[in-house]
Amino acid sequence: MITKTRLAMTTLALALVLGGCSSSPSSNGEASGTENGKNGVQEISVYTTNSPDRLWVKKLSSEFEKTHKNIKVKIIEVPFDNFDSKLQTMLASNTPPDITTHIGWAGFSEYMSKDQLLDLSPYMDSFNAAELGIPEELMKIFQVNGKQYAIPLQAFVSLMLYNKDLFDKAGIPYPPSSYDDATWTWDKMLEDAKKLTVVSNDITKVQYGLSWAWSGGGREQDPQYFGHDVFPADTFTSNKGLAAENFFGNPDVTNDLQKLADLVLKDKVAPPAEFSVGGSDAFLAGKIAMAVDGAWRLSGVNDAGFRMGVAAIPMGGNSKVRDVLWTDGYWIFKGSKHPEAAFEWIKFMAQKENQEQMIELSGGSPSASQLALDKYANFFKGVDPTEIKNVVNGGIQYGAEGYAHLMPGSGEMHTLIDNELNPVFNGSKKASQVTPELQQKLNTMLEKNRKRDSK
Amino acid sequence: MASTSERKTAAPGRLLGFIVLLVLSIVMLMPALFMISTSFKSNAELLLFPPTLIPKDIRFDNYTTIFEKMELLLYYKNSLLVSGFIVIGTLLSSSYIAFGFVRYRAPGRNALFMILVATLMIPYPATMIPQFVLFKNLGWVDSYLPLIVPAFFGSAYMIFLLRQFFSNLTDELFEAARIDGCSEFRSFWNIALPLCGPALATVAIFSFLWSWDDLLGPVIYLNSNDKYTLPIALAGLSSKFRVVPWNTLMVAAIYTVLPCIALFSFCQKYFVEGISLTGTKS
């Protein structure tokens, strides 16, 4: 009897657990929205991160709901590092969200190559990019065979931040923000970096002239800066981002990689990997004079305890490409039950006033619209707005889109390239000892990717 | 009683041991000390190089303003709910299954146990998508059910751990109980479980810590911010696109580890008691 009572109690407890924790039908947030509700309300889902820089998605979606009474927006937020893993799970289980962009390593081409993106061309009649101030160059990034597959809402250029206090102390003129200044070259930058570097046994006095993360840490794109492509040109035009081969073994590419490694090892103007400031940012700590990185680095400007400037990336040997663009195109996944409503959301976010709000709410992420450039240029305390405008305009003009956005399987490739090149950057091997084998391994991986795509 | 000469030779050894242990303790405690120190720092002090161990400007308000920056109490409640049920589920199911493996002799029992142990070698990402599809078809996505219910079906590691412990209990104990008219369930509930205090405390600590720290499971299954657990909220503080607010993150981390410390202290007591109760072990 006692046993039966206990069994009944256990069953009851389990039932309570199951009942108490179950999901409500409307909170499932699964992709492709929900069917029309009783009042004809359509629910669309937007997939993003829960980091502060994406707060605008939540806030502006509330504004969107006020003006679009028949559309409800479900925000699915995940941590930055888990962005790709959750999205892949949702796609594999055929429950993708309606709208998202590329935030992790898997980019636009990853989904494009798998035929998972909705062709937005039928909706483009109601969307005038030029009127909204979105440059044609940015729209083209998301065009495949004449069809539009995503709308850019944010566009990060790469740029140089510099510490004016350290330049003044060394008596060196500030670097220019204009991309038209032909005197601003790699060699000039290196010369300045050497003068700005302070070698000392006293760790509090150590100072470096330069930190270089031109392509956001993706070494596969770095040789492009010097005018040497790692992948054939047709990879990004007619080949859907699927490279037929790679040229890591090419002597020019090898020399470029060695040149970058030598910033730390030979020239000693850049900090070694172990140089970190309590987990914080060595540039913001005032220990680095020039930092080349993505425009997201500007977000820390307002916390810095020194005067900061923004400069153009110097000329490195490639007359067409001087910086990397990270354009966040927003797309709609195939299978969305409410593509019109989803497109309305994208259109709403592209409006000038919303692009301006996005800059404010994100703490300084750049909009894709040139109409909001004034707002962006004036957002950062103590930085000359003209410098920011020059750098953004020049960056778009001379920018090449980040490989991560354009090549399927870029995450896997990046891991391989990073692992193989690590000995070069920590000084245990020369680039020439590593790149022939890297070329071979990467070719095998590329062949596998092409076979997977042809299936 | 040790002689004076023995004490003299033992003293330098002990002193050396003490010094080594002290140094190792400091090394082990450094990350925790740095976490506490960072939690009291101002935004400006976070950027100082070299970093300070004792903050110049101690910001106690970091511990209160965090509640304005994030809904910490909500995430706390959610984490406690999920971990609490996982601990209950794991304790009930794993102990019962482990008891079954020890007490019942049936054909294929050992093979079944080997298969169970082999499942420990399957990494979570390998089963992630099929499991997600299963729970999606059950309509459980964006609920705690995919996180909690599997715990009520046993955990391979915990079953393994408890089985080892149950197998140390003497058969005579259960035979005597059976003679007195005790059912199998009662033997399990009233005899086996009370004798396994240390093992149950260990299972409770492990399952709580693992579920409390679990990030991937909640990330995959939960879609609504109001259902998120602490690890998701903490992970949301860092992004490639922003300077990480380490002081806020460390305050949140300290609040997060408090229940773990409390549980460990609580279970440690039972752990000791459990050992004294297991005097009847063979």
Side-chain angles (χ1 to χ4, degrees):
Chain A
M1 185 63 196
I2 291 169
T3 308
K4 278 183 184 170
T5 311
R6 286 211 170 113
L7 189 65
M9 282 173 69
T10 309
T11 313
L12 181 67
L14 193 58
L16 283 171
V17 172
L18 300 179
C21 303
S22 64
S23 62
S24 59
S26 63
S27 67
N28 219 321
E30 276 169 18
S32 37
T34 58
E35 297 290 356
N36 288 359
K38 281 180 186 171
N39 304 321
V41 174
Q42 301 177 336
E43 185 177 282
I44 55 168
S45 54
V46 181
Y47 183 76
T48 186
T49 64
N50 62 345
S51 47
D53 53 288
R54 302 284 158 167
L55 188 66
W56 64 269
V57 177
K58 201 190 281 184
K59 297 258 184 183
L60 291 181
S61 290
S62 300
E63 296 299 314
F64 173 78
E65 284 179 336
K66 284 178 195 162
T67 53
H68 297 75
K69 303 279 185 200
N70 62 330
I71 305 172
K72 190 177 173 345
V73 184
K74 166 83 184 164
I75 310 287
I76 304 172
E77 301 165 286
V78 291
F80 178 83
D81 288 335
N82 301 93
F83 186 87
D84 283 345
S85 53
K86 171 140 179 163
L87 187 55
Q88 298 295 345
T89 309
M90 293 174 89
L91 284 162
S93 62
N94 204 24
T95 54
D98 290 281
I99 305 164
T100 194
T101 185
H102 34 211
I103 291 178
W105 272 105
F108 169 76
S109 290
E110 182 82 37
Y111 306 106
M112 193 66 224
S113 69
K114 290 175 184 161
D115 198 24
Q116 289 168 321
L117 306 186
L118 189 74
D119 173 16
L120 302 181
S121 305
Y123 310 103
M124 292 308 289
D125 288 344
S126 65
F127 189 88
N128 190 328
E131 265 180 23
L132 292 166
I134 300 175
E136 187 59 26
E137 297 98 310
L138 301 187
M139 290 295 286
K140 274 185 183 168
I141 293 167
F142 304 104
Q143 286 168 5
V144 179
N145 298 329
K147 292 174 181 173
Q148 192 75 37
Y149 284 92
I151 305 292
L153 293 182
Q154 292 184 306
F156 296 84
V157 294
S158 47
L159 44 76
M160 173 185 281
L161 296 173
Y162 63 92
N163 185 324
K164 286 187 173 178
D165 292 350
L166 296 183
F167 270 80
D168 288 347
K169 204 171 145 190
I172 299 170
Y174 299 144
S177 62
S178 169
Y179 271 77
D180 297 328
D181 190 331
T183 63
W184 186 227
T185 61
W186 166 269
D187 290 336
K188 175 76 174 78
M189 177 184 72
L190 197 57
E191 187 189 318
D192 286 355
K194 283 177 182 167
K195 289 179 194 164
L196 287 157
T197 298
V198 177
V199 183
S200 172
N201 289 330
D202 181 354
I203 196 163
T204 60
K205 289 178 184 157
V206 171
Q207 180 184 305
Y208 290 99
L210 176 71
S211 74
W212 184 265
W214 182 74
S215 54
R219 286 165 182 159
E220 54 274 28
Q221 196 159 0
D222 277 333
Q224 192 179 24
Y225 171 75
F226 299 105
H228 309 118
D229 288 332
V230 166
F231 300 107
D234 68 347
T235 304
F236 308 102
T237 50
S238 56
N239 235 346
K240 296 191 291 186
L242 290 158
E245 58 181 324
N246 79 90
F247 309 126
F248 265 110
N250 178 302
D252 289 331
V253 170
T254 304
N255 286 341
D256 296 339
L257 294 167
Q258 190 61 55
K259 200 188 281 191
L260 291 174
D262 284 346
L263 289 175
V264 177
L265 305 167
K266 195 173 144 196
D267 304 315
K268 298 189 189 298
V269 295
E274 60 271 22
F275 186 83
S276 66
V277 190
S280 193
D281 185 308
F283 175 72
L284 288 178
K287 294 288 164 187
I288 292 174
M290 295 179 277
V292 172
D293 206 334
W296 48 82
R297 287 291 291 271
L298 269 169
S299 69
V301 165
N302 297 346
D303 288 327
F306 54 86
R307 292 178 307 123
M308 197 184 292
V310 178
I313 307 277
M315 190 92 75
N318 190 334
S319 58
K320 288 181 183 165
V321 177
R322 277 173 68 179
D323 80 309
V324 180
L325 282 170
W326 289 273
T327 311
D328 287 350
Y330 279 70
W331 58 74
I332 301 171
F333 278 111
K334 274 185 177 173
S336 165
K337 285 182 184 139
H338 306 297
E340 293 90 357
F343 193 76
E344 275 303 309
W345 185 93
I346 295 175
K347 219 163 75 175
F348 178 85
M349 297 302 163
Q351 304 302 311
K352 183 195 173 207
E353 60 276 17
N354 296 325
Q355 289 270 292
E356 287 181 340
Q357 280 218 59
M358 185 192 291
I359 294 165
E360 191 84 41
L361 291 167
S362 65
S365 292
S367 66
S369 170
Q370 292 283 297
L371 304 181
L373 187 56
D374 268 337
K375 175 82 178 176
Y376 180 65
N378 286 285
F379 185 80
F380 306 99
K381 286 179 205 162
V383 182
D384 182 356
T386 314
E387 284 186 351
I388 294 182
K389 281 186 187 176
N390 284 345
V391 162
V392 170
N393 288 329
I396 291 174
Q397 192 185 342
Y398 291 100
E401 187 65 15
Y403 284 176
H405 291 175
L406 300 177
M407 298 183 78
S410 56
E412 201 184 357
M413 276 193 282
H414 173 74
T415 306
L416 170 74
I417 294 163
D418 220 31
N419 288 344
E420 294 292 316
L421 289 178
N422 267 342
V424 179
F425 284 83
N426 67 25
S428 56
K429 282 184 182 174
K430 290 280 172 198
S432 54
Q433 292 174 285
V434 168
T435 50
E437 197 181 335
L438 168 60
Q439 178 166 312
Q440 207 177 353
K441 284 183 181 172
L442 188 56
N443 274 341
T444 310
M445 185 181 278
L446 293 170
E447 194 183 346
K448 199 179 73 186
N449 287 352
R450 285 198 308 278
K451 277 184 187 164
R452 194 166 48 196
D453 183 71
S454 64
K455 283 177 190 169
Chain B
M1 194 177 167
S3 69
T4 315
S5 61
E6 276 175 331
R7 242 184 272 162
K8 271 181 187 169
T9 51
R14 274 192 185 181
L15 187 65
L16 187 69
F18 177 77
I19 291 168
V20 169
L21 286 174
L22 189 69
V23 170
L24 287 176
S25 302
I26 291 168
V27 170
M28 296 301 285
L29 281 172
M30 267 316 278
L33 290 175
F34 202 74
M35 176 172 80
I36 295 165
S37 154
T38 307
S39 73
F40 286 108
K41 287 180 184 174
S42 64
N43 287 346
E45 196 167 350
L46 285 176
L47 299 174
L48 287 184
F49 184 85
T52 49
L53 188 58
I54 298 165
K56 290 173 184 168
D57 172 23
I58 297 178
R59 301 297 297 264
F60 290 105
D61 59 334
N62 286 349
Y63 279 80
T64 50
T65 52
I66 191 167
F67 294 99
E68 292 157 21
K69 290 175 187 165
M70 61 195 292
E71 294 178 279
L72 198 67
L73 289 177
L74 173 73
Y75 303 130
Y76 230 93
K77 188 197 84 184
N78 295 342
S79 277
L80 280 173
L81 181 79
V82 172
S83 298
F85 276 118
I86 287 177
V87 171
I88 293 168
T90 308
L91 280 173
L92 287 174
S93 60
S94 301
S95 58
Y96 201 50
I97 296 165
F99 185 74
F101 268 119
V102 174
R103 294 284 305 145
Y104 295 101
R105 276 153 188 82
R109 182 184 69 162
N110 289 339
L112 195 63
F113 187 71
M114 288 311 292
I115 292 169
L116 178 92
V117 174
T119 62
L120 285 171
M121 294 170 215
I122 304 171
Y124 180 61
T127 58
M128 198 167 77
I129 291 172
Q131 258 191 21
F132 184 84
V133 173
L134 172 75
F135 290 130
K136 186 207 82 177
N137 291 336
L138 289 170
W140 287 5
V141 172
D142 203 25
S143 81
Y144 297 130
L145 293 174
L147 307 173
I148 292 171
V149 171
F152 282 81
F153 289 88
S155 148
Y157 181 76
M158 303 305 177
I159 293 167
F160 173 75
L161 197 139
L162 286 163
R163 179 186 174 269
Q164 303 309 107
F165 211 88
F166 281 134
S167 61
N168 284 334
L169 299 177
T170 57
D171 279 347
E172 289 84 354
L173 206 61
F174 298 104
E175 278 161 17
R178 199 177 298 130
I179 290 164
D180 289 343
C182 191
S183 68
E184 281 298 330
F185 182 77
R186 205 166 169 199
S187 295
F188 161 71
W189 193 261
N190 289 64
I191 298 169
L193 283 189
L195 290 174
C196 292
L200 293 175
T202 310
V203 167
I205 290 173
F206 280 164
S207 56
F208 183 84
L209 289 183
W210 290 347
S211 58
W212 190 256
D213 286 344
D214 183 25
L215 173 64
L216 195 54
V219 159
I220 296 295
Y221 290 110
L222 302 177
N223 289 337
S224 304
N225 188 51
D226 59 357
K227 288 178 183 159
Y228 284 172
T229 53
L230 276 169
I232 304 182
L234 257 68
L237 287 171
S238 57
S239 159
K240 181 186 177 186
F241 301 100
R242 283 292 165 275
V243 177
V244 180
W246 288 109
N247 44 4
T248 308
L249 192 59
M250 291 305 136
V251 171
I254 287 170
Y255 278 126
T256 303
V257 298
L258 285 180
C260 303
I261 295 169
L263 181 84
F264 186 77
S265 312
F266 179 75
C267 283
Q268 200 179 30
K269 181 185 151 203
Y270 285 89
F271 199 87
V272 177
E273 279 180 12
I275 289 168
S276 65
L277 279 172
T278 51
T280 53
K281 279 201 298 179
S282 59

